[in-house]
Amino acid sequence: MLTPEQRAIVKSTVPLLESGGEALTTHFYKIMLAEHPEVRPFFNQAHQANGDQPRALANGVLMYARHIDKLEQLGGLVSQIINKHVSLQIEAAHYPIVGACLLRAIREVLGAEIATDAVIAAWGAAYGQLADILIGAEEKIYADVAAAPGGWRGARAFRVARKEVESSEITSFYLQPQDGGALIDFQPGQYIGLRLVVNGNEIRRNYSLSAAPNGVDYRISVKREAGGVASNYLHDQVQPGDVLDLFPPAGDFVLAASDKPLVLISGGVGITPTLAMLDAALQGRRPVHFIHCARNRHVHAFRHAIDARLAKHPQLKRFYAYDEHSGPEDVPHAVGRLSPLQLAQWLPASRDVDAYFLGPKPFMREVKQQLRDLGVPEAQTRYEFFGPASALE
Ligand SMILES: Cc1cc2nc3c(=O)[nH]c(=O)nc-3n(C[C@H](O)[C@H](O)[C@H](O)COP(=O)(O)OP(=O)(O)OC[C@H]3O[C@@H](n4cnc5c(N)ncnc54)[C@H](O)[C@@H]3O)c2cc1C
Ligand code: HEM
């Protein structure tokens, strides 16, 4: 339990962490990944290399320290962390490893003069408090999902029922439980965790579920990333009949219940969760504006699947923008980057809409700004990252 003095020490170190927070977590990861090979498979090396994950953790620690008196104000951040942890099956036993490495990093980066025994003890207690909150919440989700019909805990073997090429760089995988048992439903927008062994190394990755729940199979749609370990392995090595280890669906980027017009905006492979959302929304009557941006028609996935829904669902409008002109056939609705003018024309006349968006980070930054400028209430816009969350401002 944190004493009032320790609480004060933690709060007083916030400015220090704000100036040196990222260096601290970078150092922390270096120590942990070198000395604890057992946690290496959880961490995506690309997220370490581009700094996103150290930044996300630094931000998490800072937000926590800032709100230590009113932890309930952390709301969204805690839910985001819990969902990411659950999707990768982080266990209570991992927390002491992270805690010990974090305290050691604080000591080594700040130096013994600033990081006194009292400071370390205060942070130790604070870390313990946060860890208890996360462990408790994560354990509850593990237990609930395991107890639900079709649910499970840890890895479950799924057979690749089929593979379908969706574009020159995106391929879908239809996955069915190998045990033939029931399959827990998920909320449109959620993602699964995938455990792979590639060249003898275990890795874990998240993939959004790209079709609405049907009780039979899950579909993921994977973009081949240049130099990417998991995506190239899936595209090149994994064939129908092969078996993959899946962790249950998680994620808080989900379609909230609402009758307002729905606007789904995606760039590239960011389309995947919006597909599940689209099909869920089309079961009702709310208007749906589906806006998708791709580099060109060759990389544009799911165009025919979306177009095929138009006849059956008059409440659906769809708009495509391509960066590059793609020739006379298969023309998009606009060429060039999504502009504010274009978006204004493609949104419903009333800006009282629910908007969900996902794509490359620069694209998301622009979409966020444009929605704000066009008068869509900020509380009605939601987004997800295909990696650690980061600021979009
Ligand atoms: C919630 C969520 C949902 C997602 N949904 C989807 C989805 O539906 N579809 C989809 O395709 N993806 C999705 N992703 C992304 C997916 O999890 C993987 O990150 C993606 O497939 C790339 O993984 P990879 O192993 O192929 O590439 P990685 O091996 O992780 O590499 C990614 C890039 O970083 C570079 N790189 C790797 N290591 C280093 C290094 N040490 N230094 C410098 N550069 C490096 C690689 O060359 C490559 O360009 C999602 C991610 C999240 C978090
Ligand atoms: C109090 C302790 C912890 C805090 C505050 C914390 C915080 C965070 C934050 C902020 C993120 C980014 C979430 C996002 O994607 O937006 C994250 C992701 C993650 N955390 Fe934790 N975490 C803690 C403990 C742990 C532990 C014990 C492990 C297990 C080894 C762990 C493993 C991970 C992994 C693997 C990711 C995803 C990394 C990636 O995307 O590359 N975390 N955590």
Side-chain angles (χ1 to χ4, degrees):
M1 194 60 190
L2 266 175
T3 64
E5 292 75 28
Q6 287 176 325
R7 211 174 271 259
I9 291 177
V10 168
K11 282 176 78 174
S12 71
T13 48
V14 169
L16 266 182
L17 287 167
E18 268 171 346
S19 57
E22 226 176 286
L24 180 76
T25 45
T26 304
H27 190 57
F28 152 75
Y29 278 113
K30 222 174 258 164
I31 296 173
M32 186 173 70
L33 297 177
E35 296 183 9
H36 294 277
E38 68 273 31
V39 300
R40 249 184 248 153
F42 293 94
F43 292 92
N44 183 326
Q45 294 310 301
H47 299 166
Q48 303 300 318
N50 68 17
D52 279 352
Q53 175 57 19
R55 258 191 299 278
L57 181 66
N59 182 47
V61 170
L62 274 176
M63 291 283 281
Y64 169 65
R66 254 190 248 123
H67 293 92
I68 192 117
D69 291 329
K70 299 187 191 78
L71 287 179
E72 64 283 0
Q73 289 180 359
L74 284 174
L77 177 69
V78 172
S79 157
Q80 200 178 299
I81 297 173
I82 291 167
N83 275 286
K84 186 56 70 70
H85 285 174
V86 164
S87 76
L88 296 167
Q89 296 283 302
I90 306 299
E91 297 280 352
H94 298 125
Y95 278 84
I97 299 174
V98 167
C101 295
L102 193 61
L103 295 185
R104 214 179 106 196
I106 290 176
R107 216 188 254 290
E108 288 175 14
V109 166
L110 296 186
E113 228 168 82
I114 300 173
T116 59
D117 287 350
V119 167
I120 295 297
W123 268 99
Y127 175 84
Q129 178 177 293
L130 180 56
D132 285 348
I133 294 170
L134 297 181
I135 291 169
E138 288 161 15
E139 189 51 47
K140 181 171 177 346
I141 297 177
Y142 290 137
D144 288 351
V145 172
W152 73 98
R153 181 173 185 153
R156 184 174 179 189
F158 278 67
R159 198 176 55 82
V160 178
R162 78 191 148 97
K163 263 175 96 171
E164 211 154 88
V165 173
E166 309 287 4
S167 77
S168 63
E169 51 189 26
I170 297 178
T171 291
S172 288
F173 297 77
Y174 291 77
L175 308 169
Q176 292 180 351
Q178 195 185 25
D179 56 27
L183 190 53
I184 190 171
D185 276 353
F186 57 90
Q187 298 185 65
Q190 287 193 309
Y191 48 88
I192 49 100
L194 187 59
R195 183 172 70 186
L196 298 172
V197 178
V198 182
N199 298 328
N201 297 316
E202 183 188 321
I203 54 170
R204 298 181 186 210
R205 296 287 185 269
N206 296 123
Y207 290 99
S208 300
L209 291 155
S210 65
N214 59 20
V216 176
D217 61 15
Y218 289 159
R219 184 179 74 179
I220 60 170
S221 306
V222 179
K223 178 188 170 202
R224 187 195 286 277
E225 295 286 350
V229 180
S231 59
N232 284 285
Y233 177 79
L234 287 164
H235 275 249
D236 297 336
Q237 307 293 325
V238 173
Q239 302 302 341
D242 288 351
V243 173
L244 298 173
D245 280 344
L246 257 68
F247 304 132
D252 57 3
F253 177 65
V254 295
L255 200 54
S258 166
D259 291 330
K260 293 184 198 303
L262 173 66
V263 177
L264 300 170
I265 307 174
S266 56
V269 74
I271 195 171
T272 51
T274 68
L275 294 168
M277 291 179 174
L278 174 67
D279 278 343
L282 290 179
Q283 287 167 14
R285 290 166 177 267
R286 68 194 296 203
V288 183
H289 287 216
F290 190 92
I291 299 168
H292 181 63
C293 304
R295 295 200 310 284
N296 56 52
R297 74 185 175 90
H298 304 293
V299 296
H300 182 181
F302 302 105
R303 176 169 185 159
H304 299 300
I306 303 293
D307 289 352
R309 283 160 173 72
L310 288 172
K312 216 171 131 203
H313 301 285
Q315 79 270 40
L316 171 64
K317 289 192 167 56
R318 55 85 175 93
F319 307 96
Y320 307 131
Y322 292 169
D323 289 356
E324 304 154 15
H325 207 282
S326 51
E329 74 286 4
D330 248 359
V331 281
H333 302 98
V335 175
R337 293 168 77 92
L338 185 62
S339 66
L341 198 66
Q342 195 62 78
L343 186 58
Q345 288 170 3
W346 289 350
L347 287 182
S350 160
R351 302 306 195 222
D352 186 18
V353 301
D354 292 315
Y356 295 75
F357 60 92
L358 208 160
K361 223 182 281 174
F363 169 86
M364 287 173 64
R365 249 181 234 126
E366 283 172 22
V367 169
K368 184 167 194 236
Q369 184 63 46
Q370 289 178 16
L371 288 172
R372 187 190 290 148
D373 294 348
L374 292 169
V376 176
E378 204 136 1
Q380 289 165 220
T381 61
R382 299 179 181 82
Y383 49 90
E384 172 80 290
F385 294 90
F386 276 1
S390 64
L392 276 190
E393 304 305 333

